Amino acid sequence: MTAESKRKATNRSQFIAIDAVHRQPLACKFPEVILILLLFGPPGCGKGTQAVFLAERFHIPAISTGEMFRAERQAGTELGKRASSIMAQGGLVGDDIVNAMVASRISRPDCAGGFLLDGYPRTVQQAIEFSALLQQKGLPNPLVIHLDVPDDLLVARLTARRQCPQCKRIYNLLSQPPKVAGQCDDDGAALIAREDDQEAVIRQRLRAYHELTGPILQWYGASAVHSVDGGMPPDQVARAIALVVEAAER
Ligand SMILES: [Zn+2]
């Protein structure tokens, strides 16, 4: 361990200890501890669960593009209006708008200590732009985490998904069943299997994912991409990712 990495590790532990006592975002007090995580993984790999875990574990916000779009639209910003009108016409929101939203979002104070992006970059062009943005802001290179799960395992998991139509909570008959069969734990509503959790639809989504994500991971390069076996139980996946992050910080 170098003096530099020791100092970083000390700051990280202080950060967590103080934060646990005061429940305040202290990221700005230790600006040298900046953790930028990019989380890639196929649909159904438990990426959302891991994003929440990583956000809590490393005290950074987990930012998904879907939430970013909704927030911009609700706030009625210029970007939000442009995105809404494109989507209303059935078009795809271009890289320029997505990149601008990310740039705006990561400039917010809660991102001072770092952040996790889930669902971005979605194209090689976005990855290039994002890299330029980080450089321009003097931020470190992102840590790229790839949750690797065989397609057949994902199909088995996804066809076992059920959703609450009221609160939108997702269950899985294999890994996260409701307490009472067929009923939402929170509001008792009858759970449903969504149209897009049918096998043919899932296979199509997986093909699209591989076509989209393969080139991005290639662009970052094998030495920058940390593949984690996403087929393990969620707590083991979480531990494996935490080890990758901690190793990278040293
Ligand atoms: Zn519910």
Side-chain angles (χ1 to χ4, degrees):
M1 206 185 231
T2 63
E4 166 73 3
S5 65
K6 205 174 274 179
R7 187 177 56 79
K8 273 194 184 171
T10 309
N11 278 345
R12 170 72 70 194
S13 59
Q14 280 175 353
F15 173 80
I16 289 165
I18 294 167
D19 190 54
V21 173
H22 298 288
R23 296 276 166 218
Q24 283 171 2
L26 293 172
C28 54
K29 291 198 177 176
F30 303 106
E32 64 273 59
V33 187
I34 296 175
L35 178 62
I36 299 173
L37 287 178
L38 303 184
L39 197 53
F40 291 96
C45 74
K47 193 156 56 88
T49 305
Q50 297 303 329
V52 170
F53 158 76
L54 287 165
E56 282 173 7
R57 173 75 179 75
F58 295 105
H59 302 249
I60 52 177
I63 302 166
S64 81
T65 42
E67 285 153 16
M68 229 160 33
F69 272 112
R70 282 191 288 279
E72 293 281 340
R73 283 216 301 266
Q74 276 165 13
T77 65
E78 200 49 47
L79 279 172
K81 283 177 197 161
R82 277 169 62 198
S84 311
S85 83
I86 291 166
M87 287 192 278
Q89 290 161 24
L92 275 175
V93 177
D95 284 350
D96 54 340
I97 293 180
V98 181
N99 292 333
M101 277 189 191
V102 170
S104 151
R105 179 65 186 85
I106 70 168
S107 300
R108 300 235 299 256
D110 65 334
C111 293
F115 50 87
L116 177 150
L117 286 173
D118 171 2
Y120 178 91
R122 239 178 95 81
T123 63
V124 172
Q125 194 51 45
Q126 286 182 2
I128 292 169
E129 292 288 334
F130 181 61
S131 196
L133 174 69
L134 293 181
Q135 215 162 21
Q136 184 196 320
K137 293 173 81 74
L139 291 169
N141 286 328
L143 189 59
V144 181
I145 310 273
H146 172 221
L147 295 177
D148 203 5
V149 191
D151 283 4
D152 286 342
L153 182 56
L154 291 170
V155 170
R157 278 187 190 172
L158 286 170
T159 50
R161 274 216 305 197
R162 298 293 180 272
Q163 187 174 36
C164 170
Q166 266 180 41
C167 68
K168 308 297 175 199
R169 182 167 166 184
I170 303 272
Y171 295 86
N172 192 297
L173 303 184
L174 302 174
S175 56
Q176 290 169 308
K179 291 194 184 90
V180 178
Q183 276 183 28
C184 177
D185 292 351
D186 297 333
D187 49 42
L191 303 179
I192 52 167
R194 305 186 313 179
E195 281 293 314
D196 56 0
D197 287 339
Q198 310 297 325
E199 175 161 356
V201 181
I202 294 165
R203 295 269 178 206
Q204 178 52 41
R205 271 162 58 206
L206 288 172
R207 267 195 298 277
Y209 166 79
H210 292 304
E211 279 168 21
L212 209 65
T213 312
I216 301 172
L217 297 177
Q218 242 169 10
W219 183 80
Y220 278 108
S223 61
V225 175
H226 302 269
S227 278
V228 170
D229 175 7
M232 302 184 291
D235 58 328
Q236 285 181 38
V237 177
R239 264 201 297 276
I241 301 176
L243 284 175
V244 167
V245 173
E246 280 153 14
E249 284 188 324
R250 266 181 230 120

